[in-house]
DNA sequence: TCGGGACGCTAACGATCGTTCGGAAGGCGG
DNA sequence: CCGCCTTCCGAACGATCGTTAGCGTCCCGA
């Protein structure tokens, strides 16, 4: 993809994250490139293309990050790595992560469905970790893994609102993991 | 406040939650009332007024819910009640909660600042619970209460994306609390 | 040296945006 | 019955929306 086209996508990610998809006009996008708004259409067919592209980039980045987590080994460790992977993507590609998490819903038609498939698949990959942990006895056998997944994904999905570049996301993910595993009470109950 | 004016606010909450603030036109709002868009201006001075009103309603609802949590007693119990209170507001006033959590950022000027003050104060009230729990020894003394607060607030703030009316939010909040307190491993570590 | 593709310009399109205005119903208290 | 208040209408405002069109300009490979 040509340089100019890439610049446009980057500007779109930044502006969509900052002002929202509907809050960003083609004039805003053109200004970011120092160009007239009509000139954008040498590169795209519509503004919606840019949203689709950035959202897809987010899907790809999060799935790729999860791919780096091994299929084998202690589940507890893999959960830690999955959280690390997710938070790293959020911090390093904050704009893309924001569009992936918040602005995707302005996708329309078949693209919206395709995006939702990817998003559901991503959450399913998380859920599988917690289920496996319960089934293999690494996590408590009476664990409500649906709730546990929800809690972990909430932390992951909310991160774009407060995470900023430069934070040590590995340490952060490890703190989340420690809390999720052992709780705040710190000793066994019931 | 007159009936008609209240209807308008309710329609605004619903549409802003469904299509976003910038994705909702004054024509959409007028349609919801079965009226011409010019007629809206018998009730409001601008579309931004409606956003401010719904966002403020959210602030009031969440703060009021927290007010029902006692100042005394076991912190662990109060955390449970605080989560219950929050999730109840989300489920019972999903539109308002959505605007409070996602659409507020399109507020402008002094209103934006005032909203942010309320939002920060709300989070601070949560944070105080976890800090107190650590200081009083109800939670482990080496607890990272900033991270613990972040985890709890993530669960609370993300809820609007998946919670639907009719769910037993008390039971849900209790499951979250149990997980936060004792973790998924279910026995003491270190 | 020529041809073509990449890129941007100016100008304009119809549609829709949020908002304003003057006037007209209808109900209700005096 | 009068006069006010609330509510809405119909029409229009200027601004901005996303998009299209035709036409230059530049560079690069043939």
């Amino acid at each position: 993809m040509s340089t100019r086209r890439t610049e446009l996508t980057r500007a779109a990610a930044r502006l969509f994250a900052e002002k929202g998809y509907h809050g960003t006009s083609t004039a805003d996008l053109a200004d970011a490139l120092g160009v007239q708004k009509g000139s954008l259409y040498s590169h795209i067919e519509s503004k919606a293309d840019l949203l689709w592209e950035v959202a897809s980039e987010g899907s790809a980045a999060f799935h790729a990050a999860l791919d780096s987590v091994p299929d084998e080994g202690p589940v507890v460790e893999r959960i830690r790595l999955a959280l690390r992977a997710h938070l790293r993507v959020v911090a390093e590609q904050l704009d893309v992560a924001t569009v992936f998490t918040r602005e995707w819903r302005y996708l329309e038609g078949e693209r919206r469905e395709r995006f939702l498939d990817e998003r559901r698949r991503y959450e399913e990959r998380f859920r599988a970790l917690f289920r496996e942990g319960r089934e293999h006895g690494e996590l408590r056998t009476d664990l409500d893994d649906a709730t546990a997944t929800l809690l972990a994904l909430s932390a992951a999905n909310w991160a774009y609102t407060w995470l900023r570049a430069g934070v040590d996301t590995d340490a952060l993910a490890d703190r989340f993991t420690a809390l999720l595993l052992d709780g705040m009470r710190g000793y066994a109950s019931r």
Side-chain angles (χ1 to χ4, degrees), chain A:
Chain A
M1 187 144 56
S2 68
T3 311
R4 208 61 175 144
R5 175 60 215 262
T6 305
E7 286 179 48
L8 178 52
T9 305
R10 307 279 35 95
R14 184 171 52 81
L15 287 168
F16 292 169
E18 182 190 329
K19 311 165 53 138
Y21 176 70
H22 284 305
T24 301
S25 68
T26 51
D28 291 333
L29 291 163
D31 279 354
L33 296 210
V35 130
Q36 305 259 33
K37 62 177 178 168
S39 306
L40 297 180
Y41 292 81
S42 301
H43 307 288
I44 55 171
E45 289 184 356
S46 75
K47 178 183 156 186
D49 289 354
L50 291 169
L51 180 60
W52 168 245
E53 196 168 338
V54 178
S56 302
E57 209 175 301
S59 288
F62 282 111
H63 274 292
L66 257 197
D67 289 343
S68 73
V69 177
D71 297 329
E72 313 269 314
V75 171
V76 161
E77 183 66 10
R78 284 188 278 150
I79 288 174
R80 195 171 67 90
L81 292 177
L83 271 179
R84 279 189 172 202
H86 185 101
L87 293 188
R88 193 179 309 124
V89 171
V90 174
E92 289 179 357
Q93 305 184 64
L94 188 51
D95 296 337
V96 170
T98 299
V99 171
F100 176 83
T101 314
R102 189 176 56 196
E103 300 297 322
W104 64 267
R105 64 200 194 95
Y106 301 113
L107 289 170
E108 290 179 345
E110 187 225 359
R111 285 174 167 181
R112 188 177 220 269
E113 298 311 314
R114 281 209 276 158
F115 177 87
L116 275 172
D117 285 345
E118 286 305 294
R119 195 163 222 304
R120 276 190 284 261
R121 189 166 67 86
Y122 184 71
E123 299 191 352
E124 207 45 57
R125 293 178 74 180
F126 260 87
R127 197 175 320 276
L129 286 175
F130 293 90
R131 187 168 45 229
E132 187 181 338
R134 171 177 54 78
E135 288 170 352
H136 289 197
E138 281 195 63
L139 304 177
R140 53 207 279 183
T141 49
D142 67 339
L143 178 69
D144 179 349
D145 54 61
T147 304
T149 309
L150 198 48
L151 188 55
L153 280 175
S154 295
N157 283 324
W158 189 246
Y160 81 92
T161 65
W162 53 267
L163 242 192
R164 290 300 164 252
V167 173
D168 181 350
T169 51
D170 282 355
L172 197 52
D174 291 352
R175 290 203 295 276
F176 273 143
T177 307
L179 221 41
L180 286 168
L181 288 177
D182 300 321
M184 333 190 271
R185 195 133 54 183
Y187 50 83
S189 73
R190 99 192 75 223

